[in-house]
Amino acid sequence: MKILLFARRNTKEILRDPTNLFFGLGFPLVLLFLLSVINSAIPAEANNTMFSIENTAPGIATFGTAFFALFSGMLLAKDRTTTFLMRLFASPMTAKDFIFGYTLPLLVMAAVQGVITFLAAAILGLPLSVNTLLAVLVVLPIAVLFVGLGLLFGSFLDDKAVGGICGALLTNIAGWFSGTWIPLDLIGGVFKQTAEVLPFYHSVEAAKEAIRGNFTEIMPHIAVVLGYAVVFYAMAVFAFYQKMKSDKG
Amino acid sequence: MSAITITNLTKKYGALKAVDNMNLTIDKGELFALLGLNGAGKTTTIKMLTCLIQPTDGDAVLLGDSIKGNPNAVKQKTNVSPQETAVAPNLTVLENLEFIAGIYGQNVEISRASAKEMSSQFGLDDVLSKKAKTLSGGMQRRLSVAMALISNPQILFLDEPTLGLDVLARRELRASIKQLKNKVTIILTTHYLEEAEELSDRIGVMTKGRLTAVGTAAELINQTGTANLEDAFITLSGGEL
């Protein structure tokens, strides 16, 4: 009951901010359409599928979830710095209520964002099938990672610092190392090796394999993402517990 | 009958004693003002009594429940209006009130009724559908206090509730607090001495973590041989007149 009440409050706080709506929904769609325009400008004889909708849609769906780090981090940081969280810490709410209350609405929003992104991709030519639904589910672990990172930073930093780290730094890292903007093979070297160690590229590849229907190829990629998600979400939970126990609110 | 019994309550941060061996009893329905200079230990005391932080030593029993032994029971019968305005900015006034009522266990119907009652009591009827962030500072502070009262707490902590408000807003909020006297046990911290004198039954003065004096305004003035509460407070805080 308390989890749902808190989740509903957090949903309203996020969705009633027009900036969040733009970055959460509008910006990924704009990027999808822009890449589609670029793709249509590439001559067919070039045989370049870099920006084909089958490649860009999974990339944009993954990249779009990066903004959920910004949403969760900003919300928590603002709740802390305005002492709203102190009021709630003094109430009968438990740590479980807080953690799930912050996380659940963002995961639902991530799923909705994924559905809308793939539907928009369908308008641009992506064939829809059960595999598309699987791709939406495959993108969710990276959303857990981003929400966890947001909660981790939001537990210690103020909203301006969270905005800088999650809004500028993290989204750029996630974008460039996902291989969405430029295929990793085109750059190669240390850049490619780094990208393969990080989870962003693997999330995109897992979604691509889901769309292609190569189900056995999904797990190796998603395992990497899940590993990162578990570690960073656990760190976020630990940080939040520590914050609850401290006197800083 | 006592509502709060504080025994040897202490909070240390390394070598610093933020609250040092506090002993105090507050009666049911009493409005107790806690005064002190910045850093005297008022907010730390409130944080311990609202179970936000654990004491290093000592304990406090609130209406039969220990803050160390049974913090969940304490949280059910207390509420706090923090030093800063603590409202959800993108929620409407009604949603803010209903949300707090809900997390204290009120169902939807009771939450709605409580919200209406609080909005009426605090003059928020005309702004119920407005987002909290669009309200003036005074109205936000009123909402913050109403949110602290909506759970029907038996003990209410008001941490500098009128800080930063203009004269009119401060007067209106004081009038609202006055209405609560004898109905709810209130611990109020404030830097406004006239506010403490006007509202409180008794006043406690904290200096460097220690509760150095407790009494009515008249008793503190007599005790220090001063002309008014401000002079008494300065004397008790270690200042020079």
Side-chain angles (χ1 to χ4, degrees):
Chain A
M1 176 67 177
K2 291 188 189 91
I3 292 175
L4 289 178
L5 282 169
F6 190 50
R8 197 180 306 152
R9 173 265 166 177
N10 293 334
T11 305
K12 287 175 181 170
E13 283 288 347
I14 293 167
L15 293 182
R16 287 178 183 175
D17 187 334
T19 316
N20 289 344
L21 279 180
F22 172 74
F23 281 108
L25 196 58
F27 192 51
L29 292 182
V30 168
L31 286 175
L32 192 67
F33 282 100
L34 278 176
L35 292 177
S36 175
V37 169
I38 292 171
N39 186 54
S40 63
I42 298 173
E45 54 270 27
N47 203 24
N48 188 335
T49 58
M50 192 167 123
F51 293 127
S52 72
I53 196 69
E54 288 82 3
N55 283 329
T56 54
I60 297 293
T62 294
F63 174 69
T65 60
F67 292 101
F68 289 91
L70 180 68
F71 300 162
S72 61
M74 291 283 276
L75 184 63
L76 175 54
K78 280 182 183 171
D79 283 350
R80 267 184 43 240
T81 51
T82 61
T83 68
F84 185 71
L85 204 56
M86 181 184 161
R87 177 192 285 285
L88 300 185
F89 281 168
S91 80
M93 284 178 72
T94 63
K96 185 182 71 181
D97 298 328
F98 286 107
I99 295 294
F100 286 113
Y102 275 123
T103 305
L104 287 178
L106 287 162
L107 291 185
V108 172
M109 285 181 220
V112 171
Q113 184 200 52
V115 168
I116 292 173
T117 303
F118 282 113
L119 284 176
I123 295 169
L124 297 168
L126 181 75
L128 282 185
S129 68
V130 179
N131 293 349
T132 320
L133 199 62
L134 181 63
V136 172
L137 293 176
V138 159
V139 168
L140 286 181
I142 196 91
V144 174
L145 169 62
F146 284 126
V147 171
L149 282 169
L151 293 178
L152 183 62
F153 290 122
S155 293
F156 293 106
L157 305 173
D158 64 23
D159 55 323
K160 280 182 185 163
V162 168
I165 289 175
C166 295
L169 190 63
L170 188 60
T171 50
N172 267 294
I173 289 173
W176 288 109
F177 284 108
S178 70
T180 305
W181 312 142
I182 302 171
L184 297 182
D185 287 332
L186 214 62
I187 305 172
V190 177
F191 186 87
K192 187 184 176 193
Q193 287 166 7
T194 308
E196 285 173 348
V197 171
L198 294 172
F200 317 114
Y201 161 75
H202 292 285
S203 180
V204 175
E205 288 304 304
K208 282 181 187 172
E209 298 296 356
I211 284 181
R212 289 181 198 132
N214 297 336
F215 305 123
T216 53
E217 300 299 317
I218 295 173
M219 263 325 282
H221 289 296
I222 213 70
V224 176
V225 182
L226 280 170
Y228 272 96
V230 167
V231 169
F232 279 97
Y233 195 77
M235 284 171 68
V237 171
F238 178 74
F240 191 81
Y241 268 99
Q242 291 302 110
K243 186 54 63 180
M244 272 192 91
K245 278 198 257 175
S246 83
D247 62 339
K248 293 181 179 69
Chain B
M1 190 179 172
S2 69
I4 302 172
T5 306
I6 299 170
T7 312
N8 302 328
L9 194 67
T10 301
K11 183 68 184 178
K12 290 183 197 168
Y13 295 102
L16 176 78
K17 283 186 176 177
V19 176
D20 187 4
N21 205 34
M22 178 187 266
N23 288 281
L24 177 68
T25 300
I26 297 171
D27 290 334
K28 268 190 179 174
E30 182 176 0
L31 198 158
F32 188 88
L34 203 51
L35 305 182
L37 301 173
N38 288 334
K42 306 184 298 292
T43 298
T44 305
T45 302
I46 286 194
K47 282 185 172 179
M48 283 192 282
L49 295 179
T50 51
C51 307
L52 284 167
I53 53 172
Q54 280 268 326
T56 311
D57 206 356
D59 198 358
V61 175
L62 280 70
L63 299 165
D65 288 301
S66 155
I67 57 170
K68 286 167 90 172
N70 202 356
N72 288 336
V74 172
K75 286 179 174 187
Q76 279 291 349
K77 47 194 168 192
T78 61
N79 209 326
V80 60
S81 179
Q83 203 170 86
E84 291 167 54
T85 304
V87 299
N90 280 322
L91 261 57
T92 66
V93 169
L94 181 64
E95 287 168 343
N96 264 291
L97 290 166
E98 287 179 345
F99 168 62
I100 298 296
I103 62 172
Y104 278 85
Q106 297 179 20
N107 66 29
V108 176
E109 290 78 23
I110 297 174
S111 293
R112 179 59 60 97
S114 303
K116 289 281 163 66
E117 188 186 333
M118 281 300 118
S119 65
S120 174
Q121 187 177 335
F122 283 87
L124 297 163
D125 283 336
D126 294 337
V127 292
L128 271 178
S129 59
K130 283 193 174 175
K131 283 183 190 171
K133 68 179 179 186
T134 65
L135 302 180
S136 67
M139 291 295 268
Q140 285 193 12
R141 201 61 67 88
R142 266 200 251 177
L143 172 60
S144 189
V145 177
M147 286 163 74
L149 268 171
I150 199 164
S151 61
N152 295 316
Q154 296 172 66
I155 299 172
L156 176 65
F157 297 91
L158 299 174
D159 197 4
E160 300 188 27
T162 59
L163 186 71
L165 298 185
D166 61 42
V167 176
L168 190 62
R170 207 184 306 159
R171 180 182 287 188
E172 286 173 351
L173 189 53
R174 275 184 204 168
S176 298
I177 294 170
K178 250 185 194 171
Q179 290 176 10
L180 302 172
K181 281 190 74 169
N182 301 319
K183 296 175 191 162
V184 183
T185 305
I186 299 173
I187 292 192
L188 166 87
T189 72
T190 181
H191 283 296
Y192 301 109
L193 298 178
E194 75 282 5
E195 188 169 283
E197 196 164 11
E198 179 188 339
L199 294 174
S200 64
D201 298 304
R202 283 190 305 156
I203 295 167
V205 178
M206 288 189 79
T207 309
K208 295 177 183 170
R210 294 190 72 90
L211 187 64
T212 50
V214 175
T216 63
E219 285 169 352
L220 295 180
I221 292 165
N222 278 341
Q223 185 186 326
T224 51
T226 50
N228 53 51
L229 183 61
E230 185 172 318
D231 289 348
F233 172 69
I234 290 169
T235 304
L236 290 165
S237 298
E240 287 182 18
L241 292 177

